[in-house]
Amino acid sequence: MSTEIAKREEAPLSKVRQQQYVRPYYEIEDLEHAYEVRVHLPGVSRGNSSVTLDKDTLIVEAERTTHWDKAFRPVHREIPEADYRLRLQLNVRVDEKKISAKTVDGILIVHLPVAEEAKPRTIKVK
């Protein structure tokens, strides 16, 4: 039996951080001929969010920015470090050309106007 300890080469850990996402808090308001989605994105600067409409799915992605030194090691975190991703299945057709989005005080507001063919119409009874 050998008493030597053999050093085993281990594979280096990947330096690429595995992407983690958190579903942000959001609110949907039904306006007369549109919907307004408010997505709360704390820790995200104005240019680090994107809104995509893929067929009938609205996708909101946002990347957090860190405002502290890399040597800083927090003792406790209230908010996880993960980025945000929200996928909403739309059940009504929206006018893709009139969709707008803006950021106000850390809240992303997406305005989704309802398409003309999806709006309710009155049919005259004879």
Side-chain angles (χ1 to χ4, degrees), residues 1-109:
M1 181 168 134
S2 174
T3 58
E4 279 186 34
I5 298 175
K7 183 176 180 181
R8 190 176 88 190
E9 292 293 323
E10 292 185 16
L13 294 175
S14 174
K15 296 199 183 226
V16 178
R17 184 180 93 170
Q18 184 179 7
Q19 194 65 22
Q20 296 178 0
Y21 292 101
V22 173
R23 184 178 184 145
Y25 175 76
Y26 67 95
E27 304 165 314
I28 299 175
E29 184 177 355
D30 184 8
L31 305 174
E32 188 174 344
H33 294 291
Y35 290 94
E36 195 168 85
V37 180
R38 284 186 220 90
V39 184
H40 296 252
L41 302 171
V44 175
S45 61
R46 191 172 294 243
N48 286 351
S49 59
S50 68
V51 178
T52 307
L53 183 64
D54 183 17
K55 296 180 184 173
D56 60 346
T57 303
L58 182 72
I59 304 166
V60 175
E61 293 181 322
E63 183 180 334
R64 289 185 198 223
T65 54
T66 55
H67 300 286
W68 52 81
D69 187 7
K70 298 289 181 188
F72 174 72
R73 298 284 181 227
V75 175
H76 177 72
R77 290 183 198 257
E78 291 290 325
I79 301 173
E81 279 189 34
D83 295 331
Y84 296 108
R85 180 184 284 167
L86 176 64
R87 297 174 64 89
L88 296 175
Q89 193 75 29
L90 304 178
N91 60 356
V92 68
R93 292 192 39 96
V94 296
D95 190 351
E96 298 171 8
K97 295 177 182 168
K98 294 182 181 177
I99 294 174
S100 63
K102 64 181 179 179
T103 304
V104 178
D105 297 330
I107 300 173
L108 176 69
I109 302 169

